[in-house]
Amino acid sequence: MNNNQRMKWFTDSKFGLFIHWGLYALPAGQWLGKKVEYPAEWIMKNAKIPLAEYRKLVEQFNPIDFDAYVWMRKAKAYGVKYVCLTAKHHDGFALYDSDASDYSVMSTPFRRDIVRELAEACKAEGLIFCVYYSQMQDWEDANADGNDWDFDRKTKNFVKYFQTKVKPQVRELLTNYGDIGMIWFDTPYDMPKTLCQELADWVHQLQPDCLINGRIGYGIGDYRTMSDNNIPVLAFDEPWETPMTLNNNWGFSKVDFEWKSAKDVIRMLVSVVGKGGNLLLNMGPDALGNFPEKADEVFSQVGAWLKKNGESIYQTNIAPDLTYQTRWGGLTAGKDRLYLHILDGREVDDEVVIYDLELNIKKAYLLETGQVLETIHLYEPARDEFRLRVKVPNPLPDLLDTVIVLEHDGDPVVHSLESKFSE
Ligand code: H79
């Protein structure tokens, strides 16, 4: 497969589900009755919990409500196209059966290989299964990075950790669970480039089509991973992804109620997709194996919207950069189509106005119903200004985001400020 073919599922997908799950779901943001600085999956490090104490969570991990098929049916209804599970996060605990370490789910009362169950259910739902693996930090391992409260850092032998835990565990992930769409590394920090390359070669050797995210380091990955929770200002014409939380934590937290709304998520999705990227939005299941109710509700609303308006998101291209910020929402673009996303109904009244965009419109209509809309294209010579007005129903049919399709001939032409009145 050439590289474009390898990347295609990823660049077409646009929306993925990140799942952060592990021992940290038990303390859920609190230790010894006190709230610990977020994020919840960092609790061991943030509260400097001795390994001997944190390890006791292994005996308590028993998520009796966990049902991989329930999770993946939900994921499907959320409208995501891929799912990325934390097979091992920074705390070092593996959610799968590993010969390389018994610090895993198999040492808990639960004793079920969660990666196996999810890989199977994910594929059964037609979604791409991916794994997150923390390659540099491992707070259980004396030779890895991160734990400076249990271990003396001067004697650490990172290469030993890399050769005896990272590589064997990555091999297990890439050989025991069928096709893995992507392996998601994190926090490369000061890992030497030679080891990063060795890890990438290892992945390629085990599963040539498995993608590697940007946080393997040094630009070695298949695409760029943006900073956590950050959407770039401008479009970026190479594959990229922003990982994003739905509240202020990745792992489950009992003390975080600051959820984004469905409209917030759709607004971010439109912004990301219009700039050519993917949104990897997080879910932090609780210690019994349930998705938090509020997170499930928001994701479900987004999924219901995508079911009607998915054409404006999946398999789309970078949208033109307009001269002005839109007050009413944003743009995405398909082949010979622009999609106008009306997120702020207050700003449109009975028409959407786009300035300085010349577009040869063949047809304008509401995506959800097909209702044809009137368009008026005006040019005002004294201001050298184009105004494209699209009449819309009032009230708007979808208060979350009403999508208008503009089918057009030829390429859209944006009249930049620089171009005005220039000879
Ligand atoms: O898995 C999620 C995070 O746990 C992980 N990446 C996402 C996908 C991540 N690891 N490190 N970081 C994110 C950034 C580190 C932030 C820090 Fe801090 C700021 C470390 C120390 C100061 C946040 C605040 C964590 C501890 C205190």
Side-chain angles (χ1 to χ4, degrees), residues 142-158:
N143 290 313
D145 211 64
N147 186 339
D148 53 13
W149 58 98
D150 283 299
F151 306 119
D152 177 4
R153 311 320 291 151
K154 288 193 287 290
T155 56
K156 100 172 165 179
N157 179 348
F158 185 80

Side-chain angles (χ1 to χ4, degrees), residues 320-325 331 338 354-360 377-381 383-388 411-423:
D321 271 332
L322 296 176
T323 305
Y324 296 102
Q325 292 183 19
L331 287 185
L338 282 187
I354 303 179
Y355 295 88
D356 294 320
L357 175 72
E358 246 190 296
L359 196 66
N360 187 3
H377 224 156
L378 288 175
Y379 175 66
E380 208 182 298
R383 295 165 67 109
D384 192 10
E385 185 170 274
F386 284 88
R387 245 173 291 158
L388 170 59
D411 290 333
V413 178
V414 176
H415 289 258
S416 65
L417 294 172
E418 289 84 5
S419 71
K420 284 177 191 277
F421 298 114
S422 61
E423 296 325 305

Side-chain angles (χ1 to χ4, degrees), residues 78-223:
Y78 297 164
V80 297
K81 300 292 186 192
Y82 58 108
V83 175
C84 183
L85 171 74
T86 50
K88 187 198 90 167
H89 201 263
H90 304 332
D91 65 1
F93 177 80
L95 286 180
Y96 59 104
D97 190 359
S98 171
D99 287 337
S101 165
D102 58 11
Y103 195 48
S104 86
V105 67
M106 300 317 275
S107 303
T108 69
F110 197 56
R111 281 186 63 83
R112 276 161 52 185
D113 187 327
I114 288 165
V115 170
R116 179 172 305 286
E117 292 184 24
L118 277 172
E120 188 188 295
C122 189
K123 289 169 200 173
E125 288 296 334
L127 304 172
I128 306 262
F129 184 69
C130 309
V131 289
Y132 171 109
Y133 187 88
S134 175
Q135 78 279 33
M136 172 100 187
Q137 299 192 60
D138 189 316
W139 305 332
E140 190 252 351
D141 195 298
N143 290 313
D145 211 64
N147 186 339
D148 53 13
W149 58 98
D150 283 299
F151 306 119
D152 177 4
R153 311 320 291 151
K154 288 193 287 290
T155 56
K156 100 172 165 179
N157 179 348
F158 185 80
V159 172
K160 183 168 176 210
Y161 155 72
F162 181 78
Q163 298 297 352
T164 60
K165 187 163 182 186
V166 176
K167 284 181 74 180
Q169 284 204 323
V170 166
R171 182 181 51 217
E172 290 167 345
L173 285 170
L174 296 181
T175 46
N176 295 344
Y177 304 100
D179 288 346
I180 302 290
M182 173 219 301
I183 184 159
W184 217 99
F185 296 111
D186 205 0
T187 64
Y189 291 162
D190 55 355
M191 192 157 150
K193 186 174 180 185
T194 46
L195 288 187
C196 296
Q197 189 61 57
E198 187 175 332
L199 184 55
D201 294 344
W202 187 238
V203 171
H204 290 144
Q205 187 188 325
L206 294 161
Q207 278 204 31
D209 294 334
C210 176
L211 303 183
I212 300 176
N213 78 322
R215 293 209 192 139
I216 190 160
Y218 301 97
I220 292 169
D222 288 298
Y223 68 88

Side-chain angles (χ1 to χ4, degrees), residues 208-281:
D209 294 334
C210 176
L211 303 183
I212 300 176
N213 78 322
R215 293 209 192 139
I216 190 160
Y218 301 97
I220 292 169
D222 288 298
Y223 68 88
R224 188 175 297 233
T225 306
M226 298 299 171
S227 212
D228 290 353
N229 284 307
N230 277 290
I231 299 175
V233 172
L234 302 176
F236 185 62
D237 198 8
E238 277 174 41
W240 61 270
E241 175 183 68
T242 288
M244 173 94 54
T245 52
L246 195 60
N247 54 4
N248 298 317
N249 288 276
W250 302 89
F252 177 67
S253 168
K254 280 189 276 203
V255 287
D256 180 356
F257 308 101
E258 288 187 306
W259 298 101
K260 293 178 175 100
S261 67
K263 190 187 279 289
D264 294 335
V265 171
I266 294 170
R267 190 188 301 279
M268 289 186 302
L269 187 59
V270 168
S271 173
V272 164
V273 167
K275 291 167 192 163
N278 285 14
L279 183 68
L280 181 60
L281 188 63

